[in-house]
Amino acid sequence: MAGGEGTRLRPLTSNQPKPMVPIAGKPCIEHIVELLHAHAIDDIVVTLAYLPQAIRSYLGDGSSLGVRLSYSVEDTPLGTAGSVRKAADVLDETFVVISGDALCDIDLTALVAFHRERGAVATLAVKSVENPLEFGVVIADEDGRVERFLEKPGWGQVFSDTINTGIYVLEPEVLRHVPDGEPHDFSKQLFPYLLERGRPVYAWTVPDGQYWQDIGNLDQFLEANRDALDARVRLAIPGVRLQENIWVGEGVAVADLDQIEGPAAIGRFCNIEPGARIGAYTVLGANVVVKDGASVSGSVVEQGSYVGPGAGVTGAIVGRSTDIHAHAQLNEGVAVGDECSIGAEAVVLPGVKVYPYKTIEAGATIRENLIRESRPVASLLGDEGAAGIANIDITPELALRLAMAYGTTLKRGDRVAAGRDGHPSSRMLKRAMVAGLQAAGVTVADLRFAAPGLVRHEVKTSRLAGGFHVRRSAEDAEMVEIVLFEPPGVLAGRGLRADVEKHLSRSEFRRVTHRQVGGIVEAPRAIESYSGALGALVDRDAVRRRGFRLVVDYGHSAAAPVAEALFAELGVDAVGVDAGGDARDVGPRVKDEAVAQVARLVEAVGADLGVIFDAHAERLWLVDDAGRRIPSAQTLLL
């Protein structure tokens, strides 16, 4: 049975049915299917109601788990017995009913054997618990025959601490007593009916040492994960088990296992940076990133999430693809839904629930549940465009949507220029931007590896409708920037940015037909045109006669192709360093170190001047022929 909504588990179940909540790195229902397979129960019908496709697409036909799965979907809620009755056509022999959202390792073989020995028509697996109020209470005689039970009693009605686990063995004939297509419940209606008619209904007590836990609320969810890590329940936890009950999945990147305190489970392809700490009773889903200085302890962080530098997550639950930015703090009992963004230095106080798709601004303190509205955040586009952590804040999906919004502000058939620096993340995002503009009917003049100045020049000289440049931040290696331009090659003004933001926030994008999709064109003479325009600003003959010798540090920027063409035209002998475009392993540029390196080279080769570009080729520093740095004020005068 896998139709539960799990309302008490929200926001964890806002976007997924209750059986899909993860326990130690796998959905609970997958653990249950593995339990059935271990007891040679391989023909399985899954009853579905809430978000059925989530389970159906995950489990498929069951072949990957060694079983045969089929599905029965309720159009309207039919209750526990009614949902099973809907699948009666394929239930032609003794069958087991088990919940897909209650974690257990019960000996189903012994349960079925007990049922057959007693000649029962229905056998309930029962268990003693401290607090029976949330469950159906069962009382049976010494032989196990049920005499009485009551569904979810008050304390004044409690006559036993033995509760119904929701796991049954049934004979097909009992389904004849369940009306077809109507809501009907096992505990409230079918079992009392069978007792009234003297049919043999038995209770099998779950032996001590066998585990059963209803995952009814967020505390029980965390408890079930802790029990799995403590091996109190027998599960197949993904990954290789190391010392101190640490499970590590395929492709995990961690500098030192001492960063992880067991018990803990680290999903496949997680990235735990040096300086990050993973505390006891932590479960990380697949592809989670934990940055330097961050700490995660006693928490469940689902797949694809990001924990930024210095952030702290303690005793919390974090949904899928959620970003927790630098130095943010999530406290005990916090539950954050899928695809949320917790801003830098934000604090979410204990017990607060943040529902999916919410954004919390940097520095905010959240004291109450965030259900319907996000806390206001700054606009995406600043004076120089969009900026954020590459593939976390600025993803290909966001770049695509940003480009579609930008394209919607332009006319269909317009042309824009596109350029990037040499980093792979910039190449990735530029391609997403190009696709978004094409989808809006805009043609892109692709300059590929190009400095922002070249993009500006192309917008101006070719009379284009605009342009953009994607580049890594000069200050932070993780950050990426998407800069927008408008005619005549200037930064996008407030009006254009506001229009783009409006279309982006409302998802109001112009979509064109297949005949109107924008193209991609070359700009083969762009570098020649730009270097020629720069050369026209000086006295070419005088420069050629002087025969300058330079040392130029290109800073892995896109300045080299333009500068080399210009130097060739002007007869300048230039010694270039750091001209390569792919700077994936190069950190933020340290200006003083670069200046000192060029100063040494100037003296070594007898150059007239040393030039140091920043990573964007938009700023420079100069060194004179004696290796002395020329002050900024003097550079400005020159």
Side-chain angles (χ1 to χ4, degrees), residues 22 55 79 109 117 222 238 249 333 361 541 553 590 621:
I55 294 175
T109 302
E117 288 169 5
L222 285 174
E361 66 179 347
D541 293 336
D553 183 341
V590 180
W621 301 274

Side-chain angles (χ1 to χ4, degrees), residues 97 103 108 147 203 556 597 611 619:
V97 175
L103 188 67
L108 299 176
E147 296 177 339
H556 296 285
Q597 175 186 336
V611 182
R619 291 181 172 85

